[in-house]
Amino acid sequence: MKYTEDHEWMSLDGDIVTVGITDHAQEQLGDIVFIELPEVGTQVTKGDEVVVIESVKAASDIVAPLDGEVVEVNEAIVDTPGNVNEDAEGDAWFFRVKIEDTSQLDEYMDEDAYKDLIA
Amino acid sequence: MEDLKKTPLHALHLDLGARMVPFAGYEMPVQYPLGVMKEHLHTRAAAGLFDVSHMGQVLLDGSQAAAELEALVPQSLLGLEEGRQRYAFFTHANGGILDDLMVANRGDHLFLVVNAACKVSDVAHLRRNMALSEVIPVTDRALLALQGPAAEAALGRIVPVAEMRFMDVSVQESDYGELWISRSGYTGEDGFEVSVHEAQAEAFARALLEMEEVEPIGLGARDSLRLEAGLCLYGHDIDTTTDPVQAALTWAIQKVRRPSGSRSGGYPGDAVIGPKLAAAEIDPDDTRRVGLVPEGRAPMREGVQLFETEDARTPIGRVTSGAPGPTVGHPVAMGYVPVRLSLTGTQIWGEVRGKRLPARVAPMPFVPPTYKR
């Protein structure tokens, strides 16, 4: 598992990376009521705003942490955005990207470094 | 947050685990561990306790106070009975609104509650214009709101309040000293606002919070509750650029102060507001504050530009407040549109993150009020 400073988590399986937000992020956002996900097939570049999250309080963007192609999105969280508050680092992942260069993940934090960041 | 002022309940908020934010020069609780959504729903289901001590409390003393205040607002205050409270607004010479407030007649004086961000300028405005009255800011009292269907039962364990009706005010002795009580609030629910001396404020708040029905509620839920209730937030939904007719607040202007009333006009901006109140035909190009229900699930928040059609180039208005509506289960908003587009059911478009999304003009409040009239 790798982590970004924007409180996203990434888990690599072959050349597919699953992306979600951390439990810390969902706690900061509060009750999530609306999520807009990218379309499957979208080519994303690191830094692109790909997801919109609306909580009761405010809207926030999630940026693509990696270059790649979106191959799957989690429709379940669009139907029930509150799932992200329940299980942010489990079933409530956001999208999956297929990447060509897995070394892109190297620059990101491991779990210990991320825990230090939010401590 | 060192430069921020603290209310008498500051230590209590920290003790309760509140997340504190700067608001109108004060460090205030935006939410407690329950979270905005549950705090909102709890208030509508039982009772929520809000710290609104940042708001300005002002006494107006003198036999001419009501008459002098009538020269600053388009409301009837000479007609306000003892023991009653009324919603009012200070108007500007251009017809705009300087602040909105509550005015209570407490027999030999008036008691005002004004917005936190405006209280310094409000007091200066009162002093400049009320030569015969004494303007006394109350700085040693906290102000709490207890709102929701269980508010009467909860507060009733401390002082008898069951006989009070919506907008009644009373001063009562209690274990927490003298309480200044009004049966009012800003959530659309039945409830009370209570002014208590700062020395007894925390004990009073804790006594209420110990009750089964009562949870502490932060500013986050206060905002979504008042939006569902269709109530204006000063500086957002109303300001010096919106007159009371545009703001759809003419219900708060009593007949006696309208054109052909016996105390017609005589307040700042009457030359702008009066003719609009008297007009036989409404100018279709004037603007109107309306309720809006976005058709999808994406909230349209403050600042969202509104358009007449999906591809129109020029905006016809903007959203001034918008959020998910926890009680109604869909997003709600209010904003300004031209009168010709202000009828209930009219479809307009809001631009959210570059996309035009449909919304319909809807009646307010979005939830039926439960005031005890």
Side-chain angles (χ1 to χ4, degrees):
Chain A
M1 207 85 127
K2 290 284 196 173
Y3 298 86
T4 74
E5 288 182 359
D6 298 325
H7 309 286
E8 291 159 88
W9 59 262
M10 291 166 283
S11 103
L12 180 69
D13 181 11
D15 59 354
I16 305 287
V17 180
T18 303
V19 181
I21 63 168
T22 65
D23 196 49
H24 173 77
Q26 71 75 16
E27 211 170 273
Q28 293 299 311
L29 288 167
D31 305 291
I32 295 169
V33 294
F34 174 83
I35 296 172
E36 194 174 276
L37 294 171
E39 279 175 32
V40 170
T42 310
Q43 291 289 337
V44 296
T45 304
K46 181 182 165 184
D48 285 356
E49 291 166 1
V50 285
V51 175
V52 176
I53 303 179
E54 297 260 9
S55 70
V56 180
K57 283 177 287 186
S60 353
D61 296 311
I62 298 291
V63 298
L66 306 158
D67 298 344
E69 180 190 347
V70 176
V71 291
E72 196 180 346
V73 297
N74 188 357
E75 295 289 351
I77 62 168
V78 175
D79 295 335
T80 318
N83 286 357
V84 178
N85 294 112
E86 304 296 320
D87 195 14
E89 299 191 23
D91 286 344
W93 54 277
F94 279 53
F95 58 92
R96 294 195 164 119
V97 277
K98 186 175 177 184
I99 59 172
E100 300 206 336
D101 174 12
T102 55
S103 73
Q104 289 185 72
L105 276 95
D106 295 348
E107 64 171 292
Y108 289 112
M109 290 173 276
D110 61 18
E111 189 172 353
D112 285 346
Y114 181 69
K115 278 187 175 160
D116 285 346
L117 177 78
I118 61 173
Chain B
M1 293 202 256
E2 290 115 46
D3 296 339
L4 297 171
K5 286 179 267 187
K6 295 179 168 76
T7 76
L9 297 181
H10 186 265
L12 175 64
H13 299 316
L14 297 184
D15 200 34
L16 292 169
R19 189 182 298 169
M20 306 297 283
V21 296
F23 183 84
Y26 285 79
E27 192 182 327
M28 297 298 289
V30 67
Q31 68 173 86
Y32 297 89
L34 201 56
V36 178
M37 182 87 83
K38 289 193 179 115
E39 289 173 28
H40 179 115
L41 297 172
H42 182 87
T43 304
R44 297 239 186 272
L49 183 68
F50 304 73
D51 181 9
V52 289
S53 304
H54 56 310
M55 297 186 80
Q57 304 178 58
V58 183
L59 296 170
L60 299 182
D61 214 350
S63 61
Q64 300 303 303
E68 283 195 310
L69 191 56
E70 277 204 359
L72 299 178
V73 304
Q75 279 72 34
S76 167
L77 299 174
L78 289 168
L80 180 63
E81 286 171 45
E82 183 173 345
R84 295 286 294 163
Q85 176 176 278
R86 176 163 283 169
Y87 177 69
F89 28 83
F90 294 120
T91 46
H92 184 272
N94 71 5
I97 299 172
L98 291 169
D99 194 12
D100 61 344
L101 68 153
M102 289 290 182
V103 183
N105 179 353
R106 298 209 315 205
D108 59 356
H109 63 273
L110 299 177
F111 176 57
L112 275 45
V113 177
V114 303
N115 281 303
C118 302
K119 64 184 176 185
V120 172
S121 58
D122 287 344
V123 166
H125 183 59
L126 290 165
R127 285 189 169 140
R128 264 197 312 275
N129 293 286
M130 297 186 64
L132 305 174
S133 311
E134 198 180 352
V135 179
I136 310 160
V138 179
T139 54
D140 60 354
R141 296 181 74 87
L143 189 65
L144 286 78
L146 185 67
Q147 301 279 293
E152 179 188 288
L155 186 59
R157 292 183 198 116
I158 294 174
V159 282
V161 291
E163 297 298 307
M164 294 177 75
R165 290 179 304 129
F166 181 58
M167 290 294 214
D168 277 353
V169 297
S170 68
V171 173
Q172 301 198 38
E173 281 303 326
S174 76
D175 292 348
Y176 310 95
E178 193 176 272
L179 303 181
W180 301 352
I181 305 171
S182 72
R183 191 157 198 163
S184 65
Y186 221 59
T187 60
E189 295 296 320
D190 179 31
F192 302 86
E193 288 194 353
V194 184
S195 171
V196 52
H197 193 274
E198 59 185 2
Q200 279 124 334
E202 185 174 331
F204 175 65
R206 283 189 189 274
L208 289 168
L209 290 169
E210 270 171 27
M211 297 177 194
E212 183 77 34
E213 310 93 323
V214 184
E215 289 287 344
I217 311 296
L219 292 179
R222 182 171 164 81
D223 192 50
S224 52
L225 287 159
R226 70 92 200 161
L227 172 58
E228 279 187 342
L231 299 167
C232 292
L233 180 61
Y234 190 79
H236 299 261
D237 307 302
I238 48 174
D239 58 29
T240 51
T241 70
T242 58
D243 69 45
V245 178
Q246 293 168 333
L249 292 174
T250 52
W251 59 268
I253 303 178
Q254 289 75 34
K255 246 188 189 145
V256 68
R257 301 300 310 277
R258 294 179 182 227
S260 79
S262 64
R263 294 196 311 284
S264 160
Y267 55 86
D270 58 353
V272 178
I273 299 164
K276 282 198 185 189
L277 291 169
E281 278 181 38
I282 303 166
D283 175 2
D285 292 322
D286 198 10
T287 59
R288 209 48 105 241
R289 181 177 63 96
V290 293
L292 296 168
V293 174
E295 288 183 8
R297 290 165 66 179
M300 292 184 185
R301 297 186 189 267
E302 180 176 3
V304 163
Q305 302 277 337
L306 300 171
F307 297 84
E308 188 165 358
T309 62
E310 191 173 4
D311 46 15
R313 289 205 183 158
T314 316
I316 45 92
R318 59 184 280 273
V319 171
T320 53
S321 284
T327 311
V328 295
H330 57 72
V332 290
M334 59 173 91
Y336 284 82
V337 298
V339 168
R340 64 188 169 80
L341 296 174
S342 67
L343 281 181
T344 292
T346 306
Q347 188 183 58
I348 55 170
W349 299 78
E351 191 164 294
V352 180
R353 292 179 286 272
K355 265 184 254 170
R356 298 280 173 90
L357 302 175
R360 279 190 194 279
V361 174
M364 290 192 288
F366 299 105
V367 291
T370 57
Y371 308 135
K372 292 279 156 63
R373 296 204 188 256

